[in-house]
Amino acid sequence: MSIRTTHRALLNRLLPDDEPDELTVRQGQFHHVVIGSDRVVCLPRTRAAAARLPQRTAALHALAGLDLGFRTPEPLLQGVHGTDEAPFLVLSRIPGEPLEPDALNGADVVDAVAEQYATLLSALARAGTDETVRAVLPRAAEGQWRRFAENVRAELFPLMSDGGRLRAERELTALDGLPHLTRAVVHGDLGTENVLWEWTHGLPHLSGVLDWDDVTLGDPAEDFAAIGAGHGPDLLERVLALGDWSHPGLLTRIAAIRGTFALQQALYAIRDSDEEELADGLADYR
């Protein structure tokens, strides 16, 4: 049964100007996202995701108060905990669409996208110095990568083949010695599907960034790694050059973190009891 059917009464109330049967529904790692004409309703897929809604709301309020040069979703309404109603979060809708895989088909488009990604990462670095933001956002935990490796070995290794465990061990070993950094705002899931663009005169213009569930004060190498994974090494190299970020230490951290993306997905999924995401994350380890 579809989300539009199971939550029809709730969606009618939250999106009164839209016809439920015509709403677009997208499934993210943590939420079903129902897209209305000017609002978006996030419906947590698991209890763990529902429990994180207040923290997500506080982070979005803090980000909305900054001049980042791009839009972030603004919280408009949150469900009341302890009622019989399904948990939800209503956000403002940001216009635009993710870039299509074949969008980077010309030097002018590549340059425009790279420049705007460089501006985005610079804005997040500046935001990391804002005391209002630092008071709200969680800091990356010291020793997070060591604990991540321990948790992968304990929780995911039993689900892998022998070859999968060898591959995972190589990826986890690359994390040894990564420094503990909390100097920048880090989106934490800067995949292509979370970055929206509008096209004007044949060029894409960054309109906003979605899905701030994993935002922390941490290492910007995580966001650079996501850009490389989504758009390829050539665009990442261009972004790094534009911001004068191409120093060996950062490049090493980017490579190590990028190698853990599938394991991160699988670990989140097993803890949220999300079998579909778990199977996808472990596909190359079985």
Side-chain angles (χ1 to χ4, degrees):
M1 190 175 295
S2 73
I3 290 295
R4 287 184 291 266
T5 299
T6 57
H7 293 78
R8 193 176 193 86
L10 178 63
L11 293 175
N12 276 332
R13 180 168 69 84
L14 299 178
L15 303 171
D17 297 329
D18 298 285
E19 290 294 330
D21 293 334
E22 299 176 3
L23 293 167
T24 299
V25 180
R26 294 178 180 167
Q27 179 175 303
Q29 184 171 356
F30 302 113
H31 304 90
H32 293 289
V33 180
V34 184
I35 303 173
S37 55
D38 61 355
R39 293 180 168 195
V40 173
V41 178
C42 298
L43 300 167
R45 297 180 60 195
T46 65
R47 290 182 179 178
R52 292 192 291 265
L53 284 181
Q55 179 181 343
R56 185 186 191 200
T57 301
L60 289 173
H61 276 305
L63 293 170
L66 299 174
D67 182 14
L68 294 173
F70 57 88
R71 282 168 283 188
T72 58
E74 295 187 37
L76 303 176
L77 183 66
Q78 184 178 334
V80 178
H81 180 71
T83 67
D84 293 333
E85 192 171 57
F88 66 84
L89 177 60
V90 181
L91 303 172
S92 60
R93 179 178 177 179
I94 297 174
E97 296 291 337
L99 289 177
E100 296 292 334
D102 60 350
L104 301 179
N105 57 4
D108 54 345
V109 174
V110 171
D111 286 345
V113 171
E115 288 171 6
Q116 290 172 86
Y117 267 123
T119 299
L120 186 161
L121 270 296
S122 295
L124 292 182
R126 289 194 304 273
T129 67
D130 187 290
E131 290 305 320
T132 301
V133 173
R134 295 188 68 83
V136 173
L137 297 188
R139 287 167 171 74
E142 192 166 2
Q144 64 168 349
W145 294 115
R146 174 181 54 77
R147 285 189 291 275
F148 170 75
E150 292 171 351
N151 292 333
V152 167
R153 293 182 181 107
E155 300 178 46
L156 297 180
F157 270 30
L159 306 177
M160 298 178 183
S161 66
D162 290 342
R165 283 190 287 273
L166 287 173
R167 171 178 173 165
E169 192 60 56
R170 288 194 298 271
E171 293 164 346
L172 296 175
T173 300
L175 299 173
D176 291 346
L178 288 186
H180 179 234
L181 303 175
T182 61
R183 63 173 178 254
V185 173
V186 175
H187 180 278
D189 189 14
L190 204 60
T192 56
E193 70 281 0
N194 289 329
V195 185
L196 302 185
W197 305 79
E198 295 180 298
W199 289 78
T200 305
H201 304 302
L203 292 176
H205 297 272
L206 177 65
S207 59
V209 180
L210 309 177
D211 194 358
W212 294 82
D213 279 6
D214 293 328
V215 64
T216 61
L217 297 166
D219 185 350
E222 294 188 45
D223 286 341
F224 285 117
I227 292 171
H231 295 291
D234 291 342
L235 183 82
L236 174 61
E237 184 177 346
R238 177 73 173 134
V239 173
L240 291 168
L242 285 168
D244 194 24
W245 291 305
S246 300
H247 50 84
L250 175 61
L251 298 178
T252 298
R253 301 199 316 271
I254 291 171
I257 292 169
R258 180 174 175 179
T260 69
F261 280 172
L263 295 174
Q264 289 186 51
Q265 175 183 329
L267 191 62
Y268 271 125
I270 198 170
R271 292 177 172 181
D272 281 352
S273 301
D274 190 329
E275 292 297 330
E276 184 177 346
E277 288 290 324
L278 176 62
D280 182 63
L282 291 182
D284 292 332
Y285 298 88
R286 287 178 158 168

